[in-house]
PDB file of all heavy atoms in Angstrom:
ATOM      1  N   PRO A 142      85.816-118.261-149.883  1.00  0.00           N
ATOM      2  CA  PRO A 142      86.565-119.519-149.773  1.00  0.00           C
ATOM      3  C   PRO A 142      85.678-120.777-149.854  1.00  0.00           C
ATOM      4  O   PRO A 142      86.115-121.778-150.387  1.00  0.00           O
ATOM      5  CB  PRO A 142      87.243-119.425-148.404  1.00  0.00           C
ATOM      6  CG  PRO A 142      87.248-117.975-148.071  1.00  0.00           C
ATOM      7  CD  PRO A 142      86.036-117.397-148.714  1.00  0.00           C
ATOM      8  N   SER A 143      84.475-120.711-149.307  1.00  0.00           N
ATOM      9  CA  SER A 143      83.575-121.866-149.466  1.00  0.00           C
ATOM     10  C   SER A 143      82.413-121.421-150.336  1.00  0.00           C
ATOM     11  O   SER A 143      81.700-120.485-149.983  1.00  0.00           O
ATOM     12  CB  SER A 143      83.016-122.348-148.135  1.00  0.00           C
ATOM     13  OG  SER A 143      83.926-122.149-147.104  1.00  0.00           O
ATOM     14  N   ILE A 146      77.621-124.133-148.930  1.00  0.00           N
ATOM     15  CA  ILE A 146      77.530-124.329-147.481  1.00  0.00           C
ATOM     16  C   ILE A 146      76.193-124.976-147.166  1.00  0.00           C
ATOM     17  O   ILE A 146      75.165-124.576-147.706  1.00  0.00           O
ATOM     18  CB  ILE A 146      77.666-122.983-146.729  1.00  0.00           C
ATOM     19  CG1 ILE A 146      79.082-122.447-146.886  1.00  0.00           C
ATOM     20  CG2 ILE A 146      77.310-123.134-145.257  1.00  0.00           C
ATOM     21  CD1 ILE A 146      79.333-121.153-146.160  1.00  0.00           C
ATOM     22  N   VAL A 154      75.496-119.624-138.934  1.00  0.00           N
ATOM     23  CA  VAL A 154      76.429-119.924-140.024  1.00  0.00           C
ATOM     24  C   VAL A 154      77.201-118.659-140.400  1.00  0.00           C
ATOM     25  O   VAL A 154      76.678-117.552-140.297  1.00  0.00           O
ATOM     26  CB  VAL A 154      75.678-120.518-141.245  1.00  0.00           C
ATOM     27  CG1 VAL A 154      74.778-119.496-141.917  1.00  0.00           C
ATOM     28  CG2 VAL A 154      76.670-121.082-142.256  1.00  0.00           C
ATOM     29  N   VAL A 155      78.469-118.830-140.779  1.00  0.00           N
ATOM     30  CA  VAL A 155      79.284-117.713-141.255  1.00  0.00           C
ATOM     31  C   VAL A 155      79.507-117.917-142.747  1.00  0.00           C
ATOM     32  O   VAL A 155      79.980-118.970-143.173  1.00  0.00           O
ATOM     33  CB  VAL A 155      80.640-117.651-140.517  1.00  0.00           C
ATOM     34  CG1 VAL A 155      81.525-116.574-141.142  1.00  0.00           C
ATOM     35  CG2 VAL A 155      80.436-117.364-139.041  1.00  0.00           C
ATOM     36  N   LEU A 156      79.091-116.907-143.535  1.00  0.00           N
ATOM     37  CA  LEU A 156      79.344-116.957-144.972  1.00  0.00           C
ATOM     38  C   LEU A 156      80.687-116.264-145.189  1.00  0.00           C
ATOM     39  O   LEU A 156      80.799-115.052-145.026  1.00  0.00           O
ATOM     40  CB  LEU A 156      78.233-116.248-145.756  1.00  0.00           C
ATOM     41  CG  LEU A 156      76.796-116.674-145.441  1.00  0.00           C
ATOM     42  CD1 LEU A 156      75.824-116.008-146.407  1.00  0.00           C
ATOM     43  CD2 LEU A 156      76.641-118.183-145.510  1.00  0.00           C
ATOM     44  N   PRO A 157      81.715-117.029-145.529  1.00  0.00           N
ATOM     45  CA  PRO A 157      83.053-116.440-145.588  1.00  0.00           C
ATOM     46  C   PRO A 157      83.290-115.646-146.863  1.00  0.00           C
ATOM     47  O   PRO A 157      82.945-116.079-147.957  1.00  0.00           O
ATOM     48  CB  PRO A 157      83.975-117.662-145.530  1.00  0.00           C
ATOM     49  CG  PRO A 157      83.170-118.757-146.123  1.00  0.00           C
ATOM     50  CD  PRO A 157      81.715-118.447-145.900  1.00  0.00           C
ATOM     51  N   CYS A 158      83.857-114.457-146.695  1.00  0.00           N
ATOM     52  CA  CYS A 158      84.185-113.609-147.841  1.00  0.00           C
ATOM     53  C   CYS A 158      85.331-112.710-147.404  1.00  0.00           C
ATOM     54  O   CYS A 158      85.306-112.168-146.300  1.00  0.00           O
ATOM     55  CB  CYS A 158      82.973-112.765-148.231  1.00  0.00           C
ATOM     56  SG  CYS A 158      83.305-111.600-149.563  1.00  0.00           S
ATOM     57  N   TRP A 173      75.720-107.347-148.922  1.00  0.00           N
ATOM     58  CA  TRP A 173      75.453-108.782-149.002  1.00  0.00           C
ATOM     59  C   TRP A 173      74.085-108.932-149.629  1.00  0.00           C
ATOM     60  O   TRP A 173      73.108-108.357-149.154  1.00  0.00           O
ATOM     61  CB  TRP A 173      75.494-109.422-147.613  1.00  0.00           C
ATOM     62  CG  TRP A 173      76.857-109.879-147.223  1.00  0.00           C
ATOM     63  CD1 TRP A 173      77.762-109.183-146.471  1.00  0.00           C
ATOM     64  CD2 TRP A 173      77.482-111.125-147.576  1.00  0.00           C
ATOM     65  NE1 TRP A 173      78.913-109.934-146.335  1.00  0.00           N
ATOM     66  CE2 TRP A 173      78.760-111.124-146.996  1.00  0.00           C
ATOM     67  CE3 TRP A 173      77.083-112.238-148.322  1.00  0.00           C
ATOM     68  CZ2 TRP A 173      79.649-112.194-147.131  1.00  0.00           C
ATOM     69  CZ3 TRP A 173      77.958-113.301-148.460  1.00  0.00           C
ATOM     70  CH2 TRP A 173      79.231-113.276-147.868  1.00  0.00           C
ATOM     71  N   PHE A 202      81.788-108.843-139.009  1.00  0.00           N
ATOM     72  CA  PHE A 202      82.801-108.883-137.954  1.00  0.00           C
ATOM     73  C   PHE A 202      83.551-107.551-138.017  1.00  0.00           C
ATOM     74  O   PHE A 202      84.567-107.456-138.698  1.00  0.00           O
ATOM     75  CB  PHE A 202      83.747-110.064-138.161  1.00  0.00           C
ATOM     76  CG  PHE A 202      83.057-111.404-138.122  1.00  0.00           C
ATOM     77  CD1 PHE A 202      82.671-112.035-139.291  1.00  0.00           C
ATOM     78  CD2 PHE A 202      82.789-112.014-136.909  1.00  0.00           C
ATOM     79  CE1 PHE A 202      82.030-113.269-139.251  1.00  0.00           C
ATOM     80  CE2 PHE A 202      82.152-113.246-136.865  1.00  0.00           C
ATOM     81  CZ  PHE A 202      81.769-113.873-138.041  1.00  0.00           C
ATOM     82  N   ASN A 210      88.268-108.833-144.019  1.00  0.00           N
ATOM     83  CA  ASN A 210      87.339-109.946-143.773  1.00  0.00           C
ATOM     84  C   ASN A 210      85.913-109.405-143.868  1.00  0.00           C
ATOM     85  O   ASN A 210      85.470-108.637-143.030  1.00  0.00           O
ATOM     86  CB  ASN A 210      87.620-110.540-142.394  1.00  0.00           C
ATOM     87  CG  ASN A 210      86.732-111.729-142.058  1.00  0.00           C
ATOM     88  OD1 ASN A 210      85.689-111.940-142.676  1.00  0.00           O
ATOM     89  ND2 ASN A 210      87.154-112.511-141.083  1.00  0.00           N
ATOM     90  N   LEU A 211      85.204-109.813-144.903  1.00  0.00           N
ATOM     91  CA  LEU A 211      83.868-109.275-145.171  1.00  0.00           C
ATOM     92  C   LEU A 211      82.769-110.275-144.831  1.00  0.00           C
ATOM     93  O   LEU A 211      81.624-110.115-145.236  1.00  0.00           O
ATOM     94  CB  LEU A 211      83.760-108.904-146.660  1.00  0.00           C
ATOM     95  CG  LEU A 211      84.938-108.169-147.291  1.00  0.00           C
ATOM     96  CD1 LEU A 211      84.712-107.963-148.779  1.00  0.00           C
ATOM     97  CD2 LEU A 211      85.149-106.822-146.625  1.00  0.00           C
ATOM     98  N   SER A 212      83.139-111.322-144.078  1.00  0.00           N
ATOM     99  CA  SER A 212      82.204-112.415-143.801  1.00  0.00           C
ATOM    100  C   SER A 212      80.917-111.945-143.124  1.00  0.00           C
ATOM    101  O   SER A 212      80.910-110.988-142.355  1.00  0.00           O
ATOM    102  CB  SER A 212      82.880-113.459-142.911  1.00  0.00           C
ATOM    103  OG  SER A 212      84.092-113.873-143.493  1.00  0.00           O
ATOM    104  N   LEU A 213      79.846-112.648-143.426  1.00  0.00           N
ATOM    105  CA  LEU A 213      78.529-112.354-142.848  1.00  0.00           C
ATOM    106  C   LEU A 213      78.118-113.517-141.966  1.00  0.00           C
ATOM    107  O   LEU A 213      78.252-114.676-142.355  1.00  0.00           O
ATOM    108  CB  LEU A 213      77.489-112.184-143.965  1.00  0.00           C
ATOM    109  CG  LEU A 213      76.052-111.892-143.514  1.00  0.00           C
ATOM    110  CD1 LEU A 213      75.919-110.444-143.063  1.00  0.00           C
ATOM    111  CD2 LEU A 213      75.071-112.167-144.645  1.00  0.00           C
ATOM    112  N   LYS A 214      77.616-113.172-140.776  1.00  0.00           N
ATOM    113  CA  LYS A 214      77.121-114.238-139.884  1.00  0.00           C
ATOM    114  C   LYS A 214      75.597-114.206-139.885  1.00  0.00           C
ATOM    115  O   LYS A 214      74.994-113.157-139.716  1.00  0.00           O
ATOM    116  CB  LYS A 214      77.648-114.030-138.472  1.00  0.00           C
ATOM    117  CG  LYS A 214      77.199-115.112-137.519  1.00  0.00           C
ATOM    118  CD  LYS A 214      77.772-114.915-136.133  1.00  0.00           C
ATOM    119  CE  LYS A 214      77.208-115.966-135.181  1.00  0.00           C
ATOM    120  NZ  LYS A 214      77.720-115.770-133.837  1.00  0.00           N
ATOM    121  N   ILE A 215      74.991-115.348-140.076  1.00  0.00           N
ATOM    122  CA  ILE A 215      73.537-115.464-139.967  1.00  0.00           C
ATOM    123  C   ILE A 215      73.257-116.312-138.730  1.00  0.00           C
ATOM    124  O   ILE A 215      73.745-117.433-138.622  1.00  0.00           O
ATOM    125  CB  ILE A 215      72.900-116.158-141.192  1.00  0.00           C
ATOM    126  CG1 ILE A 215      73.383-115.534-142.501  1.00  0.00           C
ATOM    127  CG2 ILE A 215      71.378-116.118-141.105  1.00  0.00           C
ATOM    128  CD1 ILE A 215      72.814-116.202-143.746  1.00  0.00           C
ATOM    129  N   TYR A 226      73.934-116.303-152.228  1.00  0.00           N
ATOM    130  CA  TYR A 226      74.361-115.053-151.581  1.00  0.00           C
ATOM    131  C   TYR A 226      75.519-114.470-152.381  1.00  0.00           C
ATOM    132  O   TYR A 226      76.336-115.211-152.923  1.00  0.00           O
ATOM    133  CB  TYR A 226      74.810-115.313-150.144  1.00  0.00           C
ATOM    134  CG  TYR A 226      73.653-115.562-149.214  1.00  0.00           C
ATOM    135  CD1 TYR A 226      73.031-116.795-149.185  1.00  0.00           C
ATOM    136  CD2 TYR A 226      73.157-114.551-148.400  1.00  0.00           C
ATOM    137  CE1 TYR A 226      71.939-117.029-148.359  1.00  0.00           C
ATOM    138  CE2 TYR A 226      72.076-114.772-147.560  1.00  0.00           C
ATOM    139  CZ  TYR A 226      71.469-116.015-147.545  1.00  0.00           C
ATOM    140  OH  TYR A 226      70.387-116.232-146.730  1.00  0.00           O
ATOM    141  N   ILE A 241      78.057-117.411-152.854  1.00  0.00           N
ATOM    142  CA  ILE A 241      78.010-118.593-151.985  1.00  0.00           C
ATOM    143  C   ILE A 241      76.592-119.163-152.084  1.00  0.00           C
ATOM    144  O   ILE A 241      75.621-118.413-152.017  1.00  0.00           O
ATOM    145  CB  ILE A 241      78.304-118.217-150.511  1.00  0.00           C
ATOM    146  CG1 ILE A 241      79.698-117.616-150.381  1.00  0.00           C
ATOM    147  CG2 ILE A 241      78.164-119.437-149.607  1.00  0.00           C
ATOM    148  CD1 ILE A 241      79.993-117.049-149.005  1.00  0.00           C
ATOM    149  N   VAL A 243      73.922-121.299-150.298  1.00  0.00           N
ATOM    150  CA  VAL A 243      73.602-121.829-148.969  1.00  0.00           C
ATOM    151  C   VAL A 243      72.407-122.775-149.082  1.00  0.00           C
ATOM    152  O   VAL A 243      71.357-122.398-149.597  1.00  0.00           O
ATOM    153  CB  VAL A 243      73.289-120.693-147.974  1.00  0.00           C
ATOM    154  CG1 VAL A 243      72.843-121.257-146.629  1.00  0.00           C
ATOM    155  CG2 VAL A 243      74.496-119.787-147.796  1.00  0.00           C
TER     156      VAL A 243
END
Side-chain angles (χ1 to χ4, degrees):
S143 328
I146 292 181
V154 68
V155 174
L156 308 187
C158 176
W173 271 96
F202 299 97
N210 182 342
L211 316 176
S212 306
L213 179 76
K214 181 178 176 182
I215 310 179
Y226 285 79
I241 299 172
V243 175

